[in-house]
Amino acid sequence: MNEQVRRRRIERHCAATIRAISAHSQAEYRQQQLFLQGRAVRLHVPHLAFDILADSIERCRGVADALALRLTHSDRQWHHRLMPSEAIAGLVFDILEQLRTESLVSEPLRGIKSNLDRSFDHWCRQCQDNGLIENELGLLIYSVTQLVRARFNNRALGEEVETSIESVRFRLAPIIGHDLALLGKLRGDQAKFAKPALRLAETIGRIAGLMGSELIHRHLAALRSQNLLPPAAQQDDRYVRAEAAGGARIDQENNPARDYHVYCGDFDKQVMASALYRQQQRHALRIKLDQMIAAQAISIPGLARRLQQLFAIKQYAGWRDGEEQGYIDGRRLSQIVSRPGYRRIFKQQKQAPCCDTALTFLIDNSGSMKRQRFEAVTILVDIFCRALELAGVTTEILGFTTRGWAGGESIKAWRSAGSPDWPGRLNDRLHIVYKDSTSSWRRSRNAISSLMNPTHFREGLDGEALQWASQRLRSRVESRKCLVMISDGAPMDSATCNYNSPYFLERHLQNVVNSIERAGDIELKAIGIGLDMEAFFSQAITLDLTGTLTNRAFKALELLFSPGSSGRRTDR
């Protein structure tokens, strides 16, 4: 069973468990996130973060039970209306509400309680093994979580946990002791519970604030990378809180710290792929790529015929004479007199397929694509490009990455300026043209082979790349314009993420996608490589490219562009 199939199977089991316990028939679980009525329920609870493939089934069951209890016992709108805007205080407030709902599991449901305990113990072991408690912020969050859960469950801390948090507990006891006692007494009433929970969360937020915003962002990024905190959400919780307060949308234009901006674009670069590597290297890569394509045994002319049917429109191409039905051909009426039985006096319009279409492939060149996926993507795109050209479709192949890891010249300029707050994008952008729309596949074949060398793959600024690709596509004269983004994950640039508001890059990507989809002049689709992209795109499919390319992979464009296709499909 491949990873994608196993992932979806576990997610379906989690969703079934959540619906059964919470009685919310529309609850879903995908991408390791809870969805209710199609909208993500944003939770920031460390002990609910896990790896669905690497962790045990018991861990999955415990997380599913915990999510179900959250839906059952918590008023989501009330919670988000009170949730602090400061990052750490909001995180702690969310943890307290989650622990409250888990503590309300009734006595007859001993199996659920056992699942919760095993899942939490597993998270504690992970924290010990992965170094969470060696991180100052991590140890603070870990300690608060342990103290509150022990209070709610009326059980003593284990010796190992007691030793780990002893110093923090000694400092916190006189500060949060009163509110901690109230939490245990009021956990059955969310409204009353919220008051001491809010005070405690804000106290922890102030303590964490002494570390400095820069260190906090670094710690949070490190914890997420180790899967000890949930991944950054695609939509900031402030939108949820605004909705809970009456539907008022946050005005990002009046909030420059959150509005997308670039600190320094002086070092951004756009290059032709032929400039990345020497001609000899590209030639060797092309030979390797051709050998891999030959092993696929795919009929490119056959694929071209299918794609021509998909993208072509019928165009008038003259008349066909001597037909038995159609329009009467006046030039042949005389033959009725000389040949009474003659019936081929009609003519019909001839129609020829015409592909007045331009299609752009925008390929993620981030470091995560190095895990053998880049070769499968190169094979797929190269074959599609050849077939589309045979079908009469204009094609372009673009890539995007950054010029450095964790910032380049841009972050040096920022530091030289005194490291001002909320700097915006902090890495140097690199956009790559592997094949432009005016060049044939044959002329570009060696440049395309540069995709086979991932040396230049670094980090990803997806939103800006999508803007760039759409602008190039809009300059084309073809009447139909299609843009397919191929990526294996959300945007990620560590320098930008460390020094800006949470979800800075993700929000920008979502805004760009929404803008293109609303404009309607470009058909925007996405292919997720081992990851479901529908959190960002309204029309996306997922392909598993970890093994041999299947025939279904070569039908990706048909799945995306066939009339009536929703695009939300997964390759299995």
Side-chain angles (χ1 to χ4, degrees), residues 286-438:
R286 185 69 235 183
I287 293 174
K288 180 182 178 181
L289 177 58
D290 287 339
Q291 291 171 344
M292 297 175 73
I293 289 174
Q296 299 299 317
I298 184 78
S299 171
I300 293 178
L303 178 59
R305 286 191 292 271
R306 298 205 315 264
L307 294 177
Q308 187 178 63
Q309 293 176 357
L310 186 64
F311 291 105
I313 58 173
K314 299 297 183 180
Q315 196 171 58
Y316 171 68
W319 293 92
R320 187 169 53 247
D321 301 327
E323 299 293 328
E324 292 188 351
Q325 58 184 2
Y327 297 96
I328 293 177
D329 187 351
R331 296 172 301 172
R332 292 177 177 266
L333 289 177
S334 60
Q335 297 189 32
I336 298 177
V337 178
S338 60
R339 301 170 60 187
Y342 186 75
R343 299 187 179 279
R344 294 185 177 276
I345 61 171
F346 299 93
K347 62 181 180 179
Q348 294 180 359
Q349 281 187 334
K350 288 194 297 185
Q351 292 182 330
C354 174
C355 289
D356 187 23
T357 302
L359 189 149
T360 296
F361 293 103
L362 177 63
I363 304 173
D364 179 4
N365 289 174
S366 62
S368 57
M369 291 285 282
K370 291 182 180 181
R371 296 191 295 269
Q372 301 304 316
R373 296 169 178 171
F374 66 94
E375 292 183 345
V377 168
T378 307
I379 294 169
L380 196 61
V381 169
D382 189 86
I383 289 175
F384 274 142
C385 188
R386 293 168 65 181
L388 287 165
E389 189 170 296
L390 287 176
V393 177
T394 301
T395 60
E396 187 163 68
I397 303 175
L398 308 175
F400 64 95
T401 182
T402 57
R403 296 184 63 191
W405 289 100
E409 297 301 319
S410 299
I411 199 169
K412 293 178 182 178
W414 172 69
R415 285 171 175 154
S416 298
S419 304
D421 290 339
W422 317 115
R425 191 253 288 171
L426 275 178
N427 210 331
D428 308 330
R429 186 182 67 199
L430 179 61
H431 287 165
I432 305 162
V433 180
Y434 293 98
K435 177 192 177 298
D436 64 35
S437 55
T438 61

Side-chain angles (χ1 to χ4, degrees), residues 504-518:
F504 182 75
L505 294 175
E506 290 91 339
R507 279 199 309 271
H508 182 239
L509 173 59
Q510 189 66 77
N511 290 339
V512 173
V513 170
N514 293 343
S515 175
I516 295 173
E517 290 180 343
R518 281 196 303 267

Side-chain angles (χ1 to χ4, degrees), residues 19 112 441 546:
R19 289 194 292 268
I112 293 179
W441 169 83
T546 54

Side-chain angles (χ1 to χ4, degrees), residues 120-170:
F120 187 81
D121 291 343
H122 186 278
W123 176 74
C124 293
R125 289 193 299 273
Q126 280 185 311
C127 292
Q128 298 278 348
D129 296 340
N130 295 350
L132 172 71
I133 58 175
E134 298 173 8
N135 174 316
E136 186 178 358
L137 176 61
L139 179 59
L140 180 62
I141 295 170
Y142 179 79
S143 301
V144 171
T145 304
Q146 292 285 359
L147 291 172
V148 174
R149 194 173 193 273
R151 170 78 62 162
F152 287 175
N153 294 338
N154 194 26
R155 78 178 196 184
L157 296 169
E159 183 178 350
E160 188 174 11
V161 172
E162 188 85 50
T163 302
S164 301
I165 70 171
E166 182 177 5
S167 59
V168 177
R169 183 179 188 177
F170 180 77

Side-chain angles (χ1 to χ4, degrees), residues 451-471:
L451 276 165
M452 294 287 287
N453 187 344
T455 304
H456 61 282
F457 287 26
R458 295 182 184 88
E459 300 189 87
L461 304 166
D462 299 44
E464 290 191 53
L466 200 56
Q467 286 178 318
W468 169 61
S470 62
Q471 289 167 0

